Amino acid sequence: MYRLCRYIILSLFVCMQALSASAQVRNTLFVAPFDFPLLLSGNFGELRTDHFHSGVDFKTQGVVGKPIICVADGYICRASVTPGGYGNALYVMHDNGYMTVYAHLHRFPSGVEKRVREYQYKKETFNTNLWFAPNEFRVKQGDILAHAGNSGYSFGPHLHFEIRDANGNELYDPMEFYRDRLTDTRAPRIHALSFYTKRGKGVLNGSSGSRVCEVDSDTVAETFEAWGDIAFGIKALDYMDGTTNKYGIRDIELFVDNELYFSSTMDHFSFDEDLLINSWLDYGRMCYDGEWFQKLYVEENNNLRLLGTIKNNGWLTVDEERNYNVKCRLKDYHGNTTVCSFVVRGKKQPIPLPALHTHTLYCNANNRVDYVGLRLDVPRGVLFEDAFLNISLQESDGITWRYNLADTVYPMRKGSRISFWTGGKLPVDKSKLYIRHILPDDSSSVGGVYANGWITADIKTIGCYDVAVDTVAPRIVPVKKERWTKDGRVVMKFEENETGLKYFKGALDGKFILIEYNSKNSEFTLDLKREGVKPGRHLLRFVASDRCGNEVVYETEIDYK
């Protein structure tokens, strides 16, 4: 017995030493990207529209231009420029087998900047995606790599930082390498619970569907009476020391009578899994109410790898008249934990019949729906669960049709195809037609191609759509034109309310000149000094078009002194 205890103690000691050594190895793989204390404005895997947050956002003390330190030896393998998204971004392939990404940069290092601008002028384009050979731009750990900024779809100076595998598709939580450099003593918090009943098989408090319960403490006093199959969801946020920012949840566990029903750990995912987020979310509630609830159950075609132990796909079958003790436990990377407990009382009660519907889309079959003036093709495996449609034609004038397909919004893991019949002769140019996705407070174009009386587009959700017409050209509005020559910056606003920007190009005195576009404020900027414009009178000609081919031409003289 003594030898056995001694062996166990020794084994535990060896394991602890191994874990400590592993942590030390991880901490030496990468140095910090800044020489000041690290704070996060966003963490890994946060819930975003149609995707998970693929890295962490490091604060830059509220300013643009902070030097970014190269975290490990390697070489710059790629540089990209986009008007939204990452803005100016660098990709570094490291000798240790990882790739890191630095996004929303202010400017690139001089050698990369030169190559980017050569490409932009050669191709006469702002958008850039360049790959470099291993011997072109070698970098060493500790070098100044670039400077942090606010480019792309960024709403304040920060560094978006990612750690990927060598292929660039698998993403890892940078906290695995930087946990010891951040302070966090604050636990996550559940702000609300959501309850769901399985269609035709469950009831909660006398009704089917879903309901929400706000949470003010770790114990919910309200008792919920249920029968049949029910499931749960949470609206929750994490917090950290030294900031007022809110973060996503790393670890979630759901227990019923101390038995684990659901678990998830946000530690890695791939870009191929991004759209699966919409199955994990209560997607309809997000679209209609703007609230972000995570389901603690799994739909049939959701194969997210970050989901762990799942019993009965997370559904609880209430088939006894007794109390079911439910507990949800959240934990962050530093081990800060919160637990929310509540009781579901089993009470036998009638289960409401499912609502009537016009069509069923099966998630594991090929589906084709033909309805008056409407075609819908949804391939096998695209839906996360069966979809129950209640198609209604809301309005039509013979050209523009509007259909509501279902009483809720069903997300899909890949695109499906929707087509509208537009009649025979069209009173407008067919290129001006497009299909529009309608939400209560918003609408957006999903494009469309016209052929043989039908307009067709790919869609990512089953919801409400119509055919619309865009014959109005965008507008270019000068911004503080009186300051252009004084500031050395020409700024123009792009105004387009329907299909969005497709193309733009600028010329000065008949020759291409680089004009930058920022999608978050819809502004074009020409930096006269940076583009080497000489003093004198110059003619600027700027052309932009929307996605229906409506074009605007803006010409003006610039007296640059």
Side-chain angles (χ1 to χ4, degrees):
M1 186 67 180
Y2 170 76
R3 290 183 177 178
L4 178 61
C5 291
R6 186 179 179 186
Y7 172 77
I8 292 173
I9 292 171
L10 181 61
S11 298
L12 289 172
F13 177 76
V14 170
C15 288
M16 290 176 66
Q17 290 292 100
L19 288 172
S20 176
S22 176
Q24 289 176 5
V25 169
R26 290 197 303 270
N27 288 341
T28 58
L29 280 176
F30 300 113
V31 299
F34 294 110
D35 61 2
F36 49 81
L38 300 182
L39 289 173
L40 298 186
S41 57
N43 69 341
F44 182 76
E46 285 180 350
L47 309 177
R48 304 289 174 89
T49 303
D50 290 337
H51 70 286
F52 297 103
H53 190 224
S54 53
V56 296
D57 291 339
F58 286 116
K59 289 175 175 276
T60 58
Q61 300 180 329
V63 298
V64 166
K66 289 289 185 179
I68 299 171
I69 297 167
C70 183
V71 298
D73 294 354
Y75 68 95
I76 298 172
C77 62
R78 180 185 172 195
S80 65
V81 180
T82 56
Y86 289 179
N88 300 326
L90 281 180
Y91 300 71
V92 177
M93 188 72 72
H94 296 287
D95 300 341
N96 60 26
Y98 289 97
M99 176 190 291
T100 55
V101 181
Y102 309 78
H104 307 308
L105 302 177
H106 183 53
R107 293 294 179 204
F108 296 118
S110 58
V112 174
E113 181 80 6
K114 181 174 182 294
R115 290 284 302 278
V116 166
R117 290 175 62 75
E118 287 173 351
Y119 175 89
Q120 290 173 321
Y121 272 88
K122 180 180 179 181
K123 300 294 184 179
E124 298 189 352
T125 181
F126 171 62
N127 288 37
T128 306
N129 186 28
L130 286 176
W131 291 85
F132 306 117
N135 60 348
E136 289 189 77
F137 298 108
R138 287 289 305 179
V139 289
K140 299 287 291 181
Q141 186 179 73
D143 286 351
I144 300 300
L145 181 67
H147 290 81
N150 190 30
S151 61
Y153 208 67
S154 166
F155 292 88
H158 73 278
L159 169 66
H160 174 85
F161 176 77
E162 297 176 6
I163 296 179
R164 304 183 182 182
D165 68 353
N167 294 320
N169 191 53
E170 195 75 16
L171 299 135
Y172 305 105
D173 187 354
M175 286 289 284
E176 180 76 15
F177 306 90
Y178 292 103
R179 178 176 61 179
D180 296 342
R181 297 181 175 95
L182 291 131
T183 301
D184 182 10
T185 62
R186 302 178 67 187
R189 181 185 165 193
I190 295 177
H191 293 272
L193 299 170
S194 53
F195 297 81
Y196 307 92
T197 60
K198 188 170 287 188
R199 179 182 171 86
K201 295 183 178 181
V203 59
L204 180 78
N205 290 350
S207 64
S208 58
S210 65
R211 63 159 296 181
V212 168
C213 173
E214 300 297 322
V215 174
D216 293 323
S217 64
D218 293 342
T219 302
V220 180
E222 184 178 354
T223 298
F224 308 94
E225 295 182 338
W227 197 252
D229 293 334
I230 65 171
F232 312 99
I234 56 170
K235 182 170 72 172
L237 294 167
D238 194 14
Y239 305 86
M240 296 185 73
D241 295 16
T243 79
T244 57
N245 296 89
K246 302 177 178 66
Y247 309 93
I249 306 299
R250 178 179 170 82
D251 291 301
I252 304 173
E253 292 177 314
L254 176 73
F255 298 87
V256 179
D257 295 335
N258 293 319
E259 184 177 3
L260 185 61
Y261 264 65
F262 175 95
S263 69
S264 64
T265 299
M266 180 57 74
D267 56 357
H268 75 285
F269 62 89
S270 71
F271 286 117
D272 299 331
E273 296 177 284
D274 260 340
L275 277 181
L276 302 186
I277 188 176
N278 293 332
S279 175
W280 194 14
L281 288 172
D282 185 333
Y283 192 75
R285 184 164 274 122
M286 183 198 71
C287 291
Y288 287 106
D289 301 328
E291 294 190 292
W292 295 68
F293 280 82
Q294 290 172 264
K295 298 173 183 174
L296 305 187
Y297 68 93
V298 183
E299 294 174 335
E300 189 168 350
N301 284 333
N302 183 1
N303 56 347
L304 262 175
R305 291 172 300 153
L306 59 88
L307 302 178
T309 299
I310 309 292
K311 179 180 179 180
N312 196 30
N313 286 337
W315 287 90
L316 169 64
T317 299
V318 179
D319 55 6
E320 298 178 54
E321 293 196 311
R322 65 175 179 87
N323 285 349
Y324 294 78
N325 296 296
V326 184
K327 180 172 63 179
C328 185
R329 183 164 66 197
L330 311 183
K331 186 170 64 173
D332 64 24
Y333 210 112
H334 287 80
N336 302 301
T337 303
T338 190
V339 177
C340 179
S341 301
F342 57 95
V343 172
V344 173
R345 179 180 297 144
K347 182 181 180 182
K348 198 166 186 177
Q349 52 191 298
I351 296 176
L353 293 173
L356 296 176
H357 60 283
T358 60
H359 300 79
T360 301
L361 301 179
Y362 296 99
C363 62
N364 290 318
N366 292 317
N367 301 272
R368 173 71 176 268
V369 173
D370 286 291
Y371 196 78
V372 183
L374 169 72
R375 262 183 212 153
L376 183 64
D377 291 283
V378 182
R380 178 192 306 271
V382 165
L383 284 163
F384 294 106
E385 60 178 347
D386 294 346
F388 303 96
L389 307 189
N390 194 16
I391 301 177
S392 61
L393 174 59
Q394 296 186 331
E395 59 183 70
S396 170
D397 60 6
I399 303 171
T400 57
W401 301 67
R402 176 174 294 185
Y403 283 96
N404 191 48
L405 303 182
D407 298 327
T408 185
V409 182
Y410 292 96
M412 294 181 282
R413 58 188 300 151
K414 293 180 182 177
S416 294
R417 186 151 291 180
I418 193 169
S419 302
F420 289 89
W421 174 250
T422 61
K425 294 183 179 180
L426 292 174
V428 296
D429 181 349
K430 62 188 179 183
S431 68
K432 307 306 180 186
L433 298 176
Y434 69 97
I435 294 178
R436 182 169 54 183
H437 183 207
I438 308 295
L439 287 171
D441 299 318
D442 192 20
S443 65
S444 59
S445 169
V446 294
V449 175
Y450 179 89
N452 302 318
W454 291 84
I455 181 168
T456 301
D458 289 333
I459 59 175
K460 293 187 295 184
T461 61
I462 303 294
C464 184
Y465 291 88
D466 72 0
V467 177
V469 178
D470 183 5
T471 59
V472 179
R475 294 179 65 229
I476 300 297
V477 180
V479 178
K480 296 181 179 179
K481 189 174 182 180
E482 69 279 3
R483 297 190 61 88
W484 282 5
T485 57
K486 182 178 180 180
D487 296 341
R489 288 165 55 86
V490 173
V491 182
M492 300 170 288
K493 188 83 170 179
F494 180 72
E495 294 184 352
E496 156 59 32
N497 296 323
E498 295 194 61
T499 55
L501 177 67
K502 181 180 180 180
Y503 167 85
F504 69 91
K505 190 174 182 180
L508 198 68
D509 301 328
K511 294 183 179 180
F512 172 81
I513 193 161
L514 182 64
I515 294 178
E516 300 182 358
Y517 180 61
N518 190 326
S519 65
K520 63 176 174 275
N521 56 17
S522 301
E523 285 187 354
F524 297 99
T525 301
L526 165 59
D527 189 323
L528 297 170
K529 181 178 180 180
R530 183 166 177 259
E531 301 311 314
V533 177
K534 295 179 179 179
R537 189 175 293 275
H538 303 278
L539 176 64
L540 173 66
R541 187 176 193 271
F542 184 76
V543 181
S545 70
D546 63 24
R547 296 186 182 278
C548 277
N550 301 301
E551 188 176 270
V552 58
V553 178
Y554 177 78
E555 290 187 340
T556 187
E557 284 192 339
I558 301 173
D559 189 9
Y560 184 40
K561 299 177 181 178

